[in-house]
């Protein structure tokens, strides 16, 4: 029940101070300590303190690009699927992916910032596409990510989605 507490209880040395007594008397919230001593989590009053050392480094551009494109639920794949619902193909150039990674790194948000950067880039486009007839493809380049230009719309004949009818 209280197995997770071993991480946070170097204070178990002060077991007697917290409970007021040292022999299994449970007083309020301090009873947690008594339960742990009774179950043998701390033998002879010595807590088992485990030290975990992690070395965390910032993600580089290549790692962020991989996070954008490779996982099953990658952000780029999600937006491509969203645009596909409107029969529009969304394409990102390689320099666009690199610019997205650089922009995310400048915010120091790591992989969490990727979605917000892409969302800011595509926000206007997502509202324009349903009202714009015959757009079949949207291409995002590095200049679009940097705010120097607008997404490239490619026009053509849209394929009509075949509707499946349920027959009872």
């Amino acid at each position: 029940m209280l197995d997770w507490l071993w991480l946070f209880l170097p204070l178990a040395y002060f077991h007697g101070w917290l409970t007021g007594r040292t022999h299994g008397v449970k007083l309020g919230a301090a009873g947690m300590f008594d339960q742990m001593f009774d179950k043998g989590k701390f033998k002879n009053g010595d807590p088992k303190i485990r030290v975990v050392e992690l070395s965390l480094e910032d993600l580089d551009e290549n790692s962020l690009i991989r996070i954008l494109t490779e996982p099953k639920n990658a952000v780029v794949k999600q937006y491509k699927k969203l645009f596909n619902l409107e029969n529009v193909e969304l394409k990102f150039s390689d320099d666009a992916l690199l610019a997205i990674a650089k922009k995310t790194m400048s915010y120091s948000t790591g992989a969490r910032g990727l979605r917000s950067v892409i969302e800011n880039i595509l926000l206007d486009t997502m509202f324009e596409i349903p009202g714009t007839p015959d757009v079949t493809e949207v291409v995002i380049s590095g200049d679009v990510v940097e705010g120097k230009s607008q997404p490239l719309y490619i026009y053509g004949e849209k394929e009509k989605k075949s509707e499946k009818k349920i027959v009872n």
Side-chain angles (χ1 to χ4, degrees):
M1 175 178 148
L2 299 173
D3 290 339
W4 59 273
L5 284 176
W6 67 266
L7 284 171
F8 307 103
L9 295 179
L11 291 176
Y13 276 118
F14 305 110
H15 168 69
W17 292 2
L18 293 173
T19 61
R21 297 195 181 158
T22 58
H23 298 292
V25 176
K26 296 179 182 176
L27 300 174
M32 296 185 295
F33 296 105
D34 291 293
Q35 292 176 13
M36 292 180 72
F37 275 90
D38 292 342
K39 292 182 179 179
K41 292 292 179 195
F42 304 118
K43 296 181 180 175
N44 302 326
D46 294 329
K48 297 175 185 173
I49 299 176
R50 296 184 176 111
V51 177
V52 178
E53 186 176 327
L54 297 175
S55 173
L56 300 177
E57 297 176 7
D58 291 337
L59 296 170
D60 62 345
E61 294 165 359
N62 291 333
S63 298
L64 289 173
I65 291 171
R66 289 183 60 205
I67 291 169
L68 273 174
T69 57
E70 288 182 12
K72 182 179 177 183
N73 61 344
V75 178
V76 169
K77 290 179 183 178
Q78 291 176 16
Y79 277 99
K80 284 183 177 185
K81 188 71 170 175
L82 184 66
F83 275 73
N84 199 17
L85 294 174
E86 294 290 335
N87 292 330
V88 176
E89 185 177 356
L90 177 64
K91 291 185 177 180
F92 289 89
S93 66
D94 291 337
D95 62 327
L97 295 174
L98 183 63
I100 291 169
K102 285 182 180 179
K103 194 169 195 177
T104 303
M105 287 177 67
S106 72
Y107 295 148
S108 299
T109 55
R112 294 179 309 234
L114 292 171
R115 179 176 294 282
S116 65
V117 170
I118 291 180
E119 188 173 295
N120 288 335
I121 295 166
L122 294 176
L123 189 61
D124 292 337
T125 306
M126 288 189 292
F127 285 105
E128 291 172 3
I129 291 298
T132 309
D134 299 330
V135 174
T136 58
E137 195 173 315
V138 175
V139 180
I140 306 297
S141 66
D143 290 339
V144 174
V145 175
E146 295 167 1
K148 296 177 183 175
S149 68
Q150 294 295 318
L152 175 65
Y153 293 176
I154 298 175
Y155 294 89
E157 291 289 323
K158 281 191 176 181
E159 296 178 13
K160 298 279 184 175
K161 284 189 176 179
S162 61
E163 295 182 18
K164 295 181 180 178
K165 294 184 181 182
I166 300 173
V167 178
N168 290 335

